[in-house]
Amino acid sequence: MSTVTSSSLLEASRVYSVPEQLLGLKQLSKNLWWSWNGEAQALFAELSPRLWSKFNHNPSEVMMNVSEQELTARLADTAFSAQVSHVLKKFYDYLGSNTTWAHTHATEFADHPVAYFSAEFGLHESLPIYSGGLGVLAGDHIKAASDLGLNFVGISLYYREGYFQQRLSPDGWQQELYPLYKPDFLPLDLVTDADGKPIVVSVDLAHSIVHLQGWAVKVGRATLYLLDANLEQNEHHYRDITSRVYGGDSTTRINQEVILGIGGVKFLHALGLRPKVYHMNEGHSAFLTLELLREHIASGKSLTEAKELVKSRCVFTTHTPVPAGHDRFSPDLMDYTFSHFIKSLGIDFDTLMSLGRENPADKLSHFTMTVLCLNLSRAANGVSELHGSVSREMWKHLYGTASPSDVPIGYITNGIHTRSWINDKADAFWRRHADDNEAFFTDANTLAHILAGISDAELWALRYQLRREMIEFVRQRLEEQNLRHGWEMGILYPHTLSPDVLTIGFARRFATYKRAPLIFSDIERISKIINHSERPVQLVFAGKAHPRDNGGKKFIQEIFHITRMPQFLGKVIFLENYDMNVTRHLISGVDVWLNTPMRPLEASGTSGQKVVASGGLNFSILDGWWREAYNGSNGWAIGKDEHLPDQDAQNKLDAAALYDTLEHDLVPMFYERNKGIPTNWIARIRNSMQTLMPVYNTHRMVTEYIEKYYKTNA
Ligand SMILES: *Cc1c(COP(=O)(O)O)cnc(C)c1O
């Protein structure tokens, strides 16, 4: 070996001293960078496999249970210590890189960040401050912003009881549990000033003042700030405002939104940050515009001037394709909530209301958060092509135009942070075939080259490996669930699911428009499909209904009862407590991801994008992202690119289309084998990977946001 080679080898695997490694592991556990790096996760799993699993893969909690003495001793294991050094080098290289995309393409944000406000962030299962797709999108957005090197901060709330944990009663009715998530056990740091004193800001709420502290979460190079009203100096009932994701009634809701929007701006300013762009992810954070207005008016600007200045800094993403889904507050509630704030705002109540009224002349009408966003942003967008056009139609009256094409709402189709959604097996597979070159996640040519080097048999081996891994996870979860319901140990296992059988997954929030039970519209027909002697099918469901959504809970119960019918036992499964961990298991293992929303209510959807890199295929209504992604041979469509005004008729039509495709195309293709391998099926997997992975990711999505919306002169 020449000296040159050995010194570059040494550089590539820099060895850190034991104190450096101790510090490094602590820093690593506190930076969500680990959540998309399998090798980093493996270090914490290695420290304690049981705690890693018991604490829902939470490095902070593992680290709290491992003494410095034990860590030091473990680091004497040269293999472990080499692995720690290897990961730390990657971690520090990532944090310190000055060759990111933004270094050359988005320099105008170097001193002034993009501030992204979202009521929820889904970063990882161990930080449960999300309820569903909106939060997961925000989490994937901030991760990609970090990867791109964009100067970016997130703002949200610290929900110490998170979203609920779901259990089903023996009769299949959803129960909600709210464990407490203490900050000490999470990757959170209290935000303090130079003297170590907590930074506290306050907002006027009704007739009170509510004080807020903030927690910082490091997400790679980006930071997410979580505001927290649980301070002793607050009146008791205000301390609980931030306890739960979308908890309580409309009063709690408006209070949370005041804290998020107004408190968020004040907090950023207290940190000395002057964002170049404020991005409102859905209308929940719209009140941030009021705080910005207040500042400009206080500095002597007229309302008209202030509005223009606020508009020039704000952009808005809408996610809700039905009028009823938008946050609306009554004049009374607005009057009460802003009774104090309005005095410092310097405008009268009617003027305030007019900023959020669809028809400002209607003095009885409610205040709509989306209207405030649209009035006070310079740009707005929906989250898929169809959703963009639905939104333009829905809001055209605000612009006094009969033609939706004149409405300034564009679209950027959602994507996923691919790295966060592949499990360790799929990660190893891609690593092996891509030689650690990550470009294939986003670049079609690189991906084509890599795919050409992978044989059908290798792809099929991956599918088997991932399907089995998922089934074993499901069996274990189900056993716990069944024991609680008084079933005898072993009554189902190992007769639950078969690794040889075509497996269809459906998991998401149980909002009724997503129509989870659609596939059971005709019990006889689906039973024949599932119990076919040569070509059987099995189904796995998971999902939470919002605590106040009885319709969604009824859907869960309906499916739960179906899982108990003799013809479906062990073949149709409902897994409790859907979260990002359950997602990752299901999207890795299923062959087909089913999505049956009532069109056009799925603004984009992202869960189907998660199956692609693991070789799953989409089978979905042509709504949201799938309507523009489906090309005839990268998955399957349910029905046509159209919808009827009559919902019952639409349900019937969609169910019939679903069964037809299953019976005549999808199921036969899976079981048609050529020397043991389903060649046509694998061709579809290749087509899916090639056409979807490079497009439906947050790298593409965030780049589009930067170019089209964040840059002022774009
Ligand atoms: C991806 C994801 C979602 C979004 O699912 P859709 O089908 O796109 O609505 C919701 N919840 C969790 C936990 C997810 O991981």
Side-chain angles (χ1 to χ4, degrees), residues 654-666:
D654 289 341
L658 189 162
Y659 293 133
D660 279 343
T661 304
L662 273 181
E663 289 164 345
H664 301 122
D665 188 4
L666 195 153

Side-chain angles (χ1 to χ4, degrees), residues 610-670:
K610 297 171 190 163
V611 306
V612 176
S614 299
L617 292 171
N618 279 275
F619 179 34
S620 170
I621 300 283
L622 290 170
D623 197 7
W625 78 283
W626 189 237
R627 177 177 166 274
E628 60 206 76
Y630 176 62
N631 70 3
S633 48
N634 55 1
W636 289 270
I638 300 171
K640 300 205 182 74
D641 186 16
E642 62 188 19
H643 46 272
L644 311 173
D646 177 351
Q647 295 207 353
D648 282 338
Q650 185 74 52
N651 289 343
K652 287 208 178 78
L653 199 69
D654 289 341
L658 189 162
Y659 293 133
D660 279 343
T661 304
L662 273 181
E663 289 164 345
H664 301 122
D665 188 4
L666 195 153
V667 181
M669 189 184 292
F670 182 85

